[in-house]
Amino acid sequence: DGGITQSPKYLFRKEGQNVTLSCEQNLNHDAMYWYRQDPGQGLRLIYYSQIVNDFQKGDIAEGYSVSREKKESFPLTVTSAQKNPTAFYLCASSHSGNTEAFFGQGTRLTVV
Amino acid sequence: GEDVEQSLFLSVREGDSSVINCTYTDSSSTYLYWYKQEPGAGLQLLTYIFSNMDMKQDQRLTVLLNKKDKHLSLRIADTQTGDSAIYFCAESLRREYGNKLVFGAGTILRVKS
């Protein structure tokens, strides 16, 4: 079945550690996105990528990094520089152009 | 700007119609979307409308677009308890590096039986 998969579903991180969230899609989509969701604030764009080996900062990129070495994969690293990383992280993908985005099931990151 | 605004909460009785409203500021948006999110899950696309359309109907869902006022609404007919969720309005904006999806904060729909 085609789809977009995020892992893990739950992730706990100690303060000062970097963690990487996985996002994989087998929909042959060119574009991939990372969003952060906080209660009452909706979705905020962290990074997006329209093509392999290229990506752009979104509205809240500070403290995050990404890579896009393969079309299918767009991992997000939450670095120790991110001051408030506890949130629900959503990955999405779409074909190029103004078409619908498909979302993964999300990763809930908690700093302990 | 790139603001998308929605009211935060709507409560309706089962069987009534629900209307969720959204306003946006960027007139360059070409597609506008409605997504549904159930607790602890990702977002599911409900419907979308192209910016040169005024209305789109899809079974119980009706989308109305007033491009002059930059206002989008989603009407759910015969609302059921299974419709309880968070509904997000989103617009797709063309940018130099590709398309950017901008979301509102979401409207929590509560359906009372």
Side-chain angles (χ1 to χ4, degrees):
Chain A
D1 287 337
I4 181 165
T5 303
Q6 289 185 243
S7 62
K9 190 170 174 64
Y10 298 97
L11 186 58
F12 296 88
R13 186 195 95 171
K14 290 183 181 178
E15 284 194 25
Q17 282 184 336
N18 293 354
V19 288
T20 298
L21 283 60
S22 169
C23 179
E24 304 274 333
Q25 52 97 3
N26 60 3
L27 300 166
N28 200 32
H29 285 167
D30 293 306
M32 296 187 76
Y33 308 81
W34 273 106
Y35 290 90
R36 170 182 171 138
Q37 185 177 21
D38 295 282
Q41 294 195 49
L43 275 67
R44 293 183 289 168
L45 181 64
I46 305 173
Y47 270 97
Y48 63 114
S49 167
Q50 297 291 316
I51 196 170
V52 174
N53 292 323
D54 190 38
F55 47 82
Q56 306 302 324
K57 290 182 179 180
D59 300 314
I60 55 162
E62 185 176 350
Y64 299 98
S65 66
V66 292
S67 62
R68 188 85 188 276
E69 296 176 2
K70 297 187 300 182
K71 188 176 186 178
E72 301 80 16
S73 178
F74 191 40
L76 173 74
T77 297
V78 184
T79 74
S80 56
Q82 169 48 239
K83 298 195 185 318
N84 185 20
T86 295
F88 190 50
Y89 290 87
L90 286 160
C91 178
S93 70
S94 71
H95 285 297
S96 293
N98 289 297
T99 59
E100 65 180 282
F102 291 83
F103 280 80
Q105 290 299 300
T107 294
R108 186 165 297 281
L109 172 63
T110 304
V111 173
V112 296
Chain B
E2 298 181 349
D3 290 331
V4 177
E5 293 194 358
Q6 304 176 233
S7 52
L8 288 182
F9 186 76
L10 176 65
S11 179
V12 300
R13 290 196 177 278
E14 191 174 19
D16 288 350
S17 291
S18 307
V19 179
I20 302 172
N21 295 301
C22 169
T23 57
Y24 58 97
T25 56
D26 195 317
S27 57
S28 69
S29 55
T30 51
Y31 281 90
L32 295 123
Y33 304 88
W34 284 104
Y35 282 85
K36 176 183 180 182
Q37 184 183 35
E38 298 187 0
L43 273 65
Q44 172 197 355
L45 179 69
L46 285 178
T47 187
Y48 64 92
I49 189 167
F50 189 52
S51 60
N52 68 356
M53 297 170 63
D54 298 323
M55 185 182 89
K56 180 178 179 182
Q57 186 150 3
D58 184 1
Q59 299 182 337
R60 291 191 298 123
L61 305 178
T62 303
V63 179
L64 294 178
L65 175 61
N66 181 330
K67 198 169 182 181
K68 174 175 170 288
D69 294 339
K70 300 189 185 72
H71 182 267
L72 182 75
S73 68
L74 173 71
R75 178 177 180 270
I76 305 173
D78 187 25
T79 313
Q80 302 297 307
T81 54
D83 294 325
S84 292
I86 305 176
Y87 289 81
F88 290 94
C89 167
E91 57 175 346
S92 182
L93 304 176
R94 282 208 186 97
R95 291 295 179 261
E96 181 183 352
Y97 295 106
N99 300 308
K100 182 179 178 182
L101 283 174
V102 178
F103 286 81
T107 298
I108 299 171
L109 174 64
R110 179 185 166 210
V111 182
K112 296 178 285 187
S113 57

